Amino acid sequence: MTTTNRKYQISLILAGTIVMSLVPGCQGPESRQKKMFSPPRLTAVVMVDMLPNAFLDRYGSHLGEGGFKRLINEGAWMTNASVGYGAPNTASGHATLATGRYPESHGVVAYQWHKANLSDPISATTDSYYESLGLKDDKIGFGASPSKIIGGTLSSHLKEKHGVEARIWSVSLKQLAAVLLAGESADGAIWWESIDGQFISSNYYYDQMPGWLNQLNEERYVDAFFSDPWEHMLPMNAYKKSDADDVPYEQGPKTLWLNKMPKTLGSSLPTPNRIYYRQLRTSPFGNQLVFEAAKRAIVNESLGADATPDVIMLSLSSTDYCGYLFGPDSHEMADMFYRLDQQLADWFNFLDTQVGQDGYVVSVVADHGACPTPEFAQGFGKDAGRIDLNAVATIVEDALVDEFGSPGDQLYYLSFIDMPWVYLNQNLLELKGIDVDRADRVAANALARAQGIDNAIVCRDVVAKSESELTELERLVKRSHYPDRSGSIYVGLRDGWYPDNVTSGPLSANDYDTHIPMWLMGPGIKATTHGGRVTLPDLTATLRHRLAIPADGDAAGRVIDEVLE
């Protein structure tokens, strides 16, 4: 079944010139002598939500042959890849890949942000103008749209170049991941809600759910894992570089799970319910849901079936859910990685059969890494620890009160700390006639004295500087900042330190957060290892190049010419 995109809009593509690499050995004449390849019939992008680059070294010797090793042996492995900016998170990573631009340009700084005159945060993708499709028992809920993305995306540029016959779909467990990857002109975006275990969408894309997606829900494929055990997939020797199993700082009880493996999905539950579904999304089998839905999209929407290039974008969220709950050094995350290796091998085999090896280009990339679990790092003698967010808030508020006097009864100068951003109460400052710049500097000085914080940067300072004036950290901060969405202060976390509200995740410009795995494989791509510095926008530029989409004058990346045949 083919569905119609009601919201297709042609975006203006600015004329631009492909920026050639300044890396020695990559010169213009060589690039012009590259072989000419037609766009692949299908471009399949898999974005893994939270995948530390260190996993390849730590667990690589236990990988099978058909997943990551196939990418390493048959594709281009970019070993020095970075997100390219200093405030990595799921939302900004997906928007950066979709646009080929940094948050300073596309505006998606996080999954939500705060406005001075609003008490509730603004969601990056939830949109009350639209309604959800596919909720169980005809429930009604807010839909979603990519309207918060500023500027064009891969989907609009694909349609501009190849027409409406070129189609693009996205699939994820997370709404924000599916919507941001899909962009404004996608034919469909699918995500999963964990209350009733349904794949759903938004009427931004179509008036009713595709029939094949309704069928997937009616089959209750999601319940196939109910009462199944999640056990170690490999012998225990494969987990010796992980932390001990069942450590106190893991947060399995948040999903009514023990911290120790093995675990049973839906243990003690009579039937699948929201507890089971929350456990499912935190397990490797959550990724299996995404692969299954993506396969059905390819088959039923005939993606890659003709010469007009199509795109499918997958985001694997289970790694992120698992990492925040158990930490990147846990047995759970190691097992997730090993099972992802098998799932990728199955995905590649499916594409080989469905599209043909000469018909598709695949990319596998992470949106961010993660801070090593501080308690695990301490065991190796590292200066690591937990940042007490309540203590940090008190330090900032006290410094502002000391400087400017009491803000008034039940009032505070500090509005939000949403690491790495700090938001001051702009309305209150203006009402009291306090210079906002001065308040930012008082707060930044206080933040820099807090335990676990290296520095605090007033954002207007880096925004005002030219590129040549910026330090490397300031450059990463500037790329991350969007006015009226980011906080006015960026907090630089000390290496090895992480807030005390979740086990771990990404928040900083430190290498473990920004260094990401990245691969390309398929016709026109060399089997090579490239150690030069590349970024997420560079990957987008390279995908555009293989799709014969003209260079975007606003793009932040360059074509990674070194990996092209």
Side-chain angles (χ1 to χ4, degrees), residues 11 22 51 90 97 205 246 318 363 439 450 494 503 530 546 552:
S11 294
L22 298 179
L51 183 59
T90 298
L97 180 63
Y205 302 100
D246 190 13
S318 291
S363 177
R494 185 177 303 164
T503 305
H530 175 56
R546 280 299 288 116
D552 181 3

Side-chain angles (χ1 to χ4, degrees), residues 1 3 132-138 169 190 197-201 206-222 293 296-297 300-301:
M1 174 183 175
T3 56
S132 292
L133 299 176
L135 292 172
K136 198 171 183 179
D137 301 326
D138 296 323
W169 282 74
I190 305 163
Q198 294 275 113
F199 279 105
I200 65 173
S201 189
Y206 23 61
D207 290 319
Q208 58 185 3
M209 291 266 283
W212 58 266
L213 190 54
N214 285 327
Q215 182 178 347
L216 177 59
N217 281 331
E218 291 165 5
E219 288 175 12
R220 301 311 299 166
Y221 177 82
V222 300
R296 297 197 187 198
N300 289 280
E301 298 295 332

